[in-house]
């Protein structure tokens, strides 16, 4: 669309808004009917580590939502000379999992416990055995059960349990619902019914019946909706929360709230069977739509769903680029001391490209990017750590490559199980997220990690906010019977350019050599956790 056409669409209220709460940034994007981003606004934030809990306060959530929207509205007015008074449809997305329990008066009963916490080991182990289904520590049901095992006083008062995306959607619409993909990170989903697995719900209620709780599990979980379903409309209170200026009017519809995993699948056109994607940012996870159940349960692999309810095998790692970002910030400070000013994109690009000239095995350097625990490899806590032997080749190129390898190291361990042991068939693998913003580098590292071709679209940097905006557009614009994968193929991604990169055999060999050392030196990381 040209500027005049976009302005007319904004004034007519025929645009679509997606807002995603990531770990370090809240991003709002506005798209037109062609699904192109026409404006955006951001708000940077950071989780807090308080009382041994990774959390964000409700004030953090509310002010972050408002600031991201305010910056979007400013961008709209600056570019098109128009105000956002009405929107065609809105979608809310956020980091999956976590624990937000509310009482009957809608009061939060305990600090929001994010996906990053690794404090539910006994509960996750108990439930995995009970269900014969992997329940990771970050899942909402693991947090709920652990609160019971801990004897936490708030548990009997729970009237509603939700996630961050579900909470924001509820505040905007009054509807206590979740998209099925997001719900699959709270409690296992039965893909034949597209709601919580009834047999597992019954097992849970049986497990806890001796505690004489005043609720049954199904009564406190949000209602499950599929992509395209009506998930409520923006209330007057919700409009005021989103836009305190009162410019935005209530009444626009919202699509089901989804997690960052589901929106990443949408943003990479990876919702069809035998497609997959890897999202790499603060955390990293792979999502592969399977043809059926896996051969057996693996504690390293989660089973979730697409936003349409199809089964997905997921390898989720708590840590990806946080340590890498910290080192880049250090180099940025050094550059400023030298009087050299560079934008973040320039500095990241130069350092990432330097890694391409490194030794394939990083010359004996090993990095652990464990800001938080990493359950896939058995760590409940983490300590960022860099290790080298005295005779290692300590060059900038090797240093950067070691940290890039580390960002995907644990993912590779989980992916090897999925691709080699389970022999999951994949026709297409897409990469997206901040790691892929610098062309070739992150893509080549991922291709080496999984020994398979990786494609990156020109929209790789758009991420989940764009994905949830597309889900909002799908809800509003889909034809009768039109599936999400058909809508994406024909109306969003048709003709869109992508670049495929095949793995370099020497890179594959080098990454495998690095991972052997990485895994062998886990006792060093364990010692750091125990002593630092």
């Amino acid at each position: 669309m040209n500027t005049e056409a976009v302005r007319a669409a904004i004034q007519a209220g025929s645009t679509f808004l997606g807002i995603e709460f990531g770990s370090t940034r809240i991003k709002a994007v506005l798209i037109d009917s062609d699904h192109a981003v026409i404006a955006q606004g951001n708000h940077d934030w950071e989780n807090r580590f308080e009382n041994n809990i990774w959390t964000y306060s409700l004030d953090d959530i509310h002010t972050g939502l408002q600031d991201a929207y305010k910056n979007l509205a400013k961008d709209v007015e600056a570019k098109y000379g128009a105000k956002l008074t009405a929107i065609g449809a809105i979608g809310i997305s956020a980091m999956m999992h976590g624990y937000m329990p509310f009482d009957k008066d809608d009061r939060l009963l305990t600090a929001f416990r994010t996906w990053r916490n690794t404090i539910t080991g006994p509960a996750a182990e108990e439930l995995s055995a009970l269900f014969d289904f992997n329940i990771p520590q970050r899942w909402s049901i693991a947090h709920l059960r652990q609160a019971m095992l801990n004897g936490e006083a708030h548990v009997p008062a729970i009237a509603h349990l939700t996630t961050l995306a579900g909470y924001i959607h509820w505040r905007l619409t009054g509807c206590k619902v979740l998209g099925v993909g997001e719900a699959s990170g709270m409690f296992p989903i039965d893909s034949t019914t597209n709601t919580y697995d009834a047999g597992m719900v019954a097992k849970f209620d049986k497990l806890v019946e001796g505690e004489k709780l005043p609720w049954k599990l199904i009564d406190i979980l949000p209602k499950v909706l599929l992509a395209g379903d009506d998930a409520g409309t923006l209330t007057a209170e919700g409009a005021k929360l989103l836009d305190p200026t009162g410019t935005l009017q209530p009444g626009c519809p919202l699509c089901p709230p989804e997690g960052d995993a589901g929106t990443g699948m949408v943003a990479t056109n990876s919702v069809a069977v035998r497609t997959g994607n890897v999202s790499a940012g603060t955390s990293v996870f792979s999502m592969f739509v399977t043809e059926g159940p896996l051969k057996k349960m693996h504690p390293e692999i989660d089973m979730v769903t697409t936003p349409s309810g199809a089964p997905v095998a997921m390898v989720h790692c708590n840590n990806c680029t946080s340590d890498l970002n910290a080192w880049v910030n250090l180099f940025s400070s050094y550059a400023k001391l030298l009087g050299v000013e560079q934008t973040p994109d320039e500095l990241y690009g130069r350092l990432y490209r330097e890694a391409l000239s490194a030794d394939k095995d990083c010359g004996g350097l090993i990095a652990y990017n464990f800001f938080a625990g990493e359950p896939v490899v058995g760590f409940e806590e983490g300590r960022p750590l860099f290790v080298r032997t005295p005779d290692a080749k300590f060059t900038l190129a090797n240093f950067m490559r070691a940290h890039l390898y580390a960002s995907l190291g644990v993912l590779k361990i989980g992916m090897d199980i999925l691709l080699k042991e389970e022999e999951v068939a994949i026709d297409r693998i897409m990469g997206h997220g901040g790691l892929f913003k610098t062309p070739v580098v992150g893509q080549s590292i991922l291709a080496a990690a999984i020994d398979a071709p990786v494609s990156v679209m020109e929209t790789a940097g758009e991420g989940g906010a764009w994905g949830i905006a597309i889900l909002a557009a799908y809800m509003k614009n889909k034809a009768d019977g039109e599936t999400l994968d058909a809508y994406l193929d024909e109306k969003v991604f048709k003709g869109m350019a992508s670049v495929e990169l095949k793995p370099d055999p020497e890179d594959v060999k080098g990454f495998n050599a690095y991972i052997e050392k990485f895994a062998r030196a886990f006792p060093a990381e364990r010692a750091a956790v125990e002593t630092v």
Side-chain angles (χ1 to χ4, degrees):
M1 287 187 179
N2 59 36
T3 300
E4 288 301 321
V6 171
R7 181 185 297 113
I10 292 167
Q11 293 171 337
S14 57
T15 58
F16 305 96
L17 171 63
I19 301 176
E20 182 160 276
F21 284 66
S23 299
T24 59
R25 175 171 292 181
I26 302 169
K27 186 174 181 179
V29 303
L30 196 69
I31 65 174
D32 61 21
S33 57
D34 294 326
H35 309 97
V37 175
I38 56 176
Q40 69 177 48
N42 299 319
H43 172 81
D44 292 333
W45 71 338
E46 283 289 348
N47 52 192
R48 311 159 185 257
F49 192 62
E50 297 178 344
N51 300 315
N52 293 317
I53 296 291
W54 290 106
T55 189
Y56 302 86
S57 71
L58 290 182
D59 186 59
D60 292 337
I61 296 167
H62 299 163
T63 58
L65 172 69
Q66 292 169 355
D67 191 51
Y69 180 83
K70 179 183 73 174
N71 291 331
L72 170 80
K74 284 181 178 178
D75 194 37
V76 168
E77 191 161 6
K79 287 178 176 176
Y80 308 107
K83 292 184 180 294
L84 278 175
T85 59
I87 296 170
I90 297 174
I92 299 296
S93 176
M95 303 165 279
M96 287 179 72
H97 317 298
Y99 184 68
M100 297 187 80
F102 293 84
D103 66 12
K104 62 181 177 59
D105 297 316
D106 296 339
R107 292 176 298 198
L108 184 64
L109 292 168
T110 185
F112 168 36
R113 300 171 186 179
T114 78
W115 61 272
R116 200 168 198 172
N117 290 286
T118 49
I119 55 175
T120 64
E125 184 176 348
E126 177 189 54
L127 294 176
S128 296
L130 178 68
F131 299 152
D132 192 26
F133 185 99
N134 183 37
I135 302 295
Q137 290 200 46
R138 65 188 181 281
W139 281 30
S140 306
I141 192 62
H143 280 281
L144 174 62
R145 179 57 181 157
Q146 191 64 50
M148 294 177 182
L149 295 176
N150 294 345
E152 296 186 41
H154 75 268
V155 171
I158 296 174
H160 173 219
L161 179 62
T162 192
T163 64
L164 179 55
Y167 169 71
I168 300 158
H169 183 94
W170 167 38
R171 288 297 309 273
L172 295 181
T173 66
C175 299
K176 298 174 180 178
V177 302
L178 285 182
V180 65
E182 174 76 342
S184 71
M186 289 194 79
F187 192 89
I189 294 292
D190 180 347
S191 287
T192 64
T193 62
N194 288 322
T195 190
Y196 305 111
D197 187 291
M200 295 184 194
V201 169
K203 286 182 178 180
F204 183 88
D205 286 336
K206 179 74 173 175
L207 175 70
V208 304
E209 64 181 1
E211 302 191 26
K212 308 297 183 184
L213 294 167
W215 46 260
K216 295 291 186 181
L217 181 61
I218 202 67
D219 298 327
I220 65 172
L221 293 178
K223 180 181 178 181
V224 180
L225 299 176
L226 300 180
D229 286 349
D230 178 5
T233 58
L234 185 66
T235 63
E237 295 80 5
K240 194 69 174 176
L241 174 63
L242 186 57
D243 179 17
T245 70
T247 304
L248 179 65
Q249 299 302 300
C252 73
L254 273 77
C255 70
E258 269 296 349
D260 50 358
T263 58
M265 300 178 80
V266 171
T268 54
N269 194 18
S270 303
V271 300
V273 171
R274 294 172 65 105
T275 64
N277 79 92
V278 172
S279 173
T282 302
S283 63
V284 60
F285 51 84
S286 61
M287 308 281 292
F288 294 97
V289 188
T290 63
E291 297 175 279
L294 301 183
K295 299 172 187 174
K296 64 177 183 179
M297 183 187 79
H298 299 274
E300 301 88 351
I301 297 171
D302 313 345
M303 291 304 297
V304 290
T305 78
T306 70
S308 299
V312 173
M314 178 183 190
V315 179
H316 183 283
C317 308
N318 286 350
N319 305 281
C320 185
T321 60
S322 292
D323 193 35
L324 185 56
N325 293 342
W327 282 106
V328 172
N329 288 337
L330 185 70
F331 290 133
S332 177
S333 297
Y334 178 62
K336 288 177 182 176
L337 280 178
L338 298 179
V340 178
E341 291 291 336
Q342 293 186 315
T343 67
D345 284 348
E346 288 172 339
L347 186 58
Y348 273 94
R350 288 182 175 178
L351 290 171
Y352 277 30
R353 286 189 292 273
E354 180 68 13
L356 295 178
S357 64
D359 293 309
K360 301 298 187 182
D361 64 351
C362 304
L365 311 186
I366 304 173
Y368 293 97
N369 62 332
F370 294 8
F371 262 55
E374 201 57 89
V376 168
V377 289
F379 283 85
E380 294 189 0
E381 293 183 55
R383 300 291 185 274
L385 183 66
F386 174 68
V387 181
R388 63 187 175 98
T389 59
D391 60 346
K393 298 177 183 177
F394 191 29
T395 66
L396 178 60
N398 282 342
F399 183 84
M400 290 305 302
R401 194 178 189 95
H403 281 84
L404 284 165
Y405 276 4
S407 68
L408 299 177
V410 176
L411 180 78
K412 174 177 172 55
I413 292 171
M415 287 289 296
D416 281 350
I417 295 170
L418 192 60
L419 298 178
K420 296 176 181 178
E421 291 186 31
E422 286 287 342
E423 301 178 312
V424 169
I426 302 294
D427 293 334
R428 185 178 71 239
I429 300 173
M430 306 298 300
H432 74 111
L435 189 68
F436 304 104
K437 287 186 70 174
T438 300
V440 177
V441 183
Q443 189 178 2
S444 66
I445 298 294
L446 177 59
I450 62 178
D451 192 14
V454 173
S455 295
V456 173
M457 294 181 179
E458 58 189 25
T459 55
E462 299 293 358
W466 184 58
I468 192 65
I470 291 172
L471 285 172
Y474 170 68
M475 178 196 68
K476 189 75 175 288
N477 294 336
K478 69 183 188 304
D480 288 343
E482 186 175 23
T483 63
L484 178 59
D485 54 319
Y487 183 89
L488 295 177
D489 279 341
E490 295 300 319
K491 296 180 178 176
V492 181
F493 291 98
K494 191 172 185 178
M496 187 173 291
S498 65
V499 177
E500 182 182 84
L501 190 65
K502 291 181 170 60
D504 181 316
E506 292 303 311
D507 284 348
V508 174
K509 187 185 301 183
F511 207 134
N512 286 336
Y514 176 87
I515 282 296
E516 287 182 15
K517 294 179 181 178
F518 181 83
R520 192 165 61 241
F522 277 156
E525 171 66 16
R526 179 75 61 194
V529 170
E530 293 172 353
T531 60
V532 178

